[in-house]
Amino acid sequence: MRMRSAIAAGILLTSSIGWAADGDNTPAPEFTKAGIKLSKETTYFTEPVREDGTVDYVAALNAKFGEGVTPENNAAVLIWQLIGYRDDLTEAYNERLAKRLGIESLPSEGTFLVGIDDFVKSLPAGQRPDELDRIYENQGHAMDRPWSPKQFPVINQWIDANQEPLTLVLEATKRERYFSPLVSSDDRENVITTFLPMIQECRAIARLLSARAMRSLGESDFDAATRDLLASHRLGRMVGQGPTIIEALVGIAIDSIASDADQALIASPKFGEKQLIAYREQLQSLPPLPLMREKIDLGERSLSLDAIQLLAIEGPQGLQMIGDGAPDEGIMGNIAEFFMKNGVDWNLVLTRFNKLYDRLTSLLQIKNRAARIAAINAFNEEMKKRRGEVQNLNPLKMLFGKGIRASVTEGMSVILESLLIPAVLQAHKAEERQTMKAEVTQIGFAIAAYQREHGEYPQSLADLKPKFFAEVPQDLFSGKPLIYQRTPDGFLLYSIGENETDDNGVFDYTGDIEKDDLAVRIPLPKDDAN
């Protein structure tokens, strides 16, 4: 996971401090319980507690997010039935997962979801396509515009092979809760060693649902198309119920896949005002997308505090576990020896991390977007500056200044703090993009419904009042009205995106200049699939 790479980078950075402390007589710290104080200021969670005196964060998060969840109301139970026993993970993992789901075991036989790769490999040699890349391209085209079985025969067969699992998916997305518990296959379970295989399976399910919806749309079956797309929207929100940023990001990605396909509904002239309005109302009634500040406040905080506990308890061994993949074991050994001789005030590190997450959460709650982004960027610059100061520390100044232990504690805190910030900012940006994308799509449905009623598209967004909006939402990124243009055969509606530049409704990250407008363009742009 991300913490492993962060610590590995920190190992290289810390190496520049210099590890010449042979003359220091500070006694080596105890690594059994390491004197960690259990409190809201240090560990945040204070229970459950392991035998070594540390908080079991995996159990704490599972208890909090699994509260009120049963096998009967948990969508994840049905989805895990479609995945089954994971041969690529340990028996201990599978057993722990089943127990925490409240079921006897994961099935090893049955009708499971079939990914596109495995499906293509299962085809007879004469039917197997020579170019797998072309199948991926066809899958992409089949997910966001109407198509026919003759157009994409392999994709059509793949969907048919998953009809039974998809029926269970539809049932799952109607359930009240979603809880796929955190599980690690090692004996000492830490948040950084947990696996989240479910999230990639759910992303694959979203692709299947969108592709089947677009096939239904090609057959003019509006009810079947909207059923599958709403299920995909609900699935994204369900996955986002998990405690981690990764689950929230995948939930957002799933919702984005469904939003892309929604535009094909807006573009189809076969469906009337009532159908469009009904679907838009169903979109509006969905639960909100996950809030990143909540994931940062609990999930990321717990991951970080758990990692610090591991360092405090295990010493050099814990450092090796967290820094798995570090390129220089000699550096790691030197750091471990330095810690053993001089120690780190882990309670102070833990307290600082808690304050860090308190501060991050408060920054993300700033209502004004410009002020919020400015505050996050200022925070990042502050962390960058502090990291530079640690990188240039002089061992002699450490001895005659704050003292070696205080300096090491400060240095380790800053390294860990600064290496956690980039993911927070990127996660927040992803949250904003999908929030605006979903808003633009819903306005697109209102514009299309207006056209069905009046025979022409509105002259301006103000024409949508009061039937569709008391006030038309503004662009999250500019703070101004969204850009709306009637065209000879349709319309263009867009947000200028996070680069805050009007790119004429173009979204393109492949060129030299990145364009990130979030648009609904009707009719749909020409598809070059063949």
Side-chain angles (χ1 to χ4, degrees), residues 50 56 92 96 100 184-190 193 321:
R50 297 188 178 101
D56 186 340
R96 287 172 180 166
R100 290 171 192 177
S184 175
S185 59
D186 57 14
D187 292 333
R188 179 192 173 90
E189 291 193 276
N190 294 93
T193 60
M321 290 172 63

Side-chain angles (χ1 to χ4, degrees), residues 24-29 340-343:
D24 188 86
N25 295 320
T26 304
M340 292 282 288
K341 289 183 176 180
N342 301 284

Side-chain angles (χ1 to χ4, degrees), residues 213-227:
M214 293 300 96
R215 185 179 71 175
S216 296
L217 191 58
E219 297 169 344
S220 299
D221 190 342
F222 189 79
D223 290 340
T226 55
R227 174 203 64 198

Side-chain angles (χ1 to χ4, degrees), residues 162-183:
N162 282 288
Q163 291 288 46
E164 186 176 334
L166 284 177
T167 299
L168 202 57
V169 166
L170 295 180
E171 181 183 342
T173 59
K174 294 177 183 177
R175 290 195 166 185
E176 179 185 354
R177 299 290 301 275
Y178 172 96
F179 172 63
S180 187
L182 296 175
V183 179

Side-chain angles (χ1 to χ4, degrees), residues 88-258:
D88 58 329
L89 297 172
T90 65
E91 183 176 352
Y93 179 94
N94 285 277
E95 290 178 352
R96 287 172 180 166
L97 175 61
K99 183 178 180 180
R100 290 171 192 177
L101 285 170
I103 60 178
E104 185 175 344
S105 62
L106 296 174
S108 57
E109 296 181 356
T111 304
F112 301 130
L113 282 165
V114 182
I116 189 68
D117 289 348
D118 290 337
F119 176 74
V120 170
K121 292 175 183 177
S122 71
L123 292 173
Q127 300 178 25
R128 197 176 304 155
D130 295 331
E131 298 180 14
L132 194 57
D133 287 346
R134 172 52 66 91
I135 296 300
Y136 295 142
E137 290 177 13
N138 289 347
Q139 181 189 23
H141 290 300
M143 286 166 50
D144 59 13
R145 60 195 63 225
W147 57 279
S148 68
K150 289 184 179 180
Q151 188 177 2
F152 302 127
V154 174
I155 303 300
N156 183 63
Q157 291 175 279
W158 171 56
I159 292 172
D160 286 343
N162 282 288
Q163 291 288 46
E164 186 176 334
L166 284 177
T167 299
L168 202 57
V169 166
L170 295 180
E171 181 183 342
T173 59
K174 294 177 183 177
R175 290 195 166 185
E176 179 185 354
R177 299 290 301 275
Y178 172 96
F179 172 63
S180 187
L182 296 175
V183 179
S184 175
S185 59
D186 57 14
D187 292 333
R188 179 192 173 90
E189 291 193 276
N190 294 93
V191 179
I192 59 170
T193 60
T194 56
F195 297 99
L196 299 171
M198 169 73 89
I199 57 176
Q200 294 307 322
E201 300 288 351
C202 286
R203 194 194 292 261
I205 289 171
R207 295 190 181 103
L208 260 169
L209 286 169
S210 286
R212 190 171 72 168
M214 293 300 96
R215 185 179 71 175
S216 296
L217 191 58
E219 297 169 344
S220 299
D221 190 342
F222 189 79
D223 290 340
T226 55
R227 174 203 64 198
D228 283 349
L229 292 182
L230 284 169
S232 189
H233 281 295
R234 286 194 295 267
L235 179 65
R237 284 154 172 78
M238 284 181 160
V239 172
Q241 290 180 19
T244 68
I245 273 186
I246 296 174
E247 288 165 302
L249 288 172
V250 172
I252 286 171
I254 289 172
D255 195 64
S256 179
I257 290 171

Side-chain angles (χ1 to χ4, degrees), residues 52-63:
D52 62 11
T54 61
V55 173
D56 186 340
Y57 280 95
V58 172
L61 290 173
N62 282 337

Side-chain angles (χ1 to χ4, degrees), residues 9-21:
I11 288 167
L12 290 176
L13 178 59
T14 313
S15 67
S16 64
I17 296 176
W19 309 110

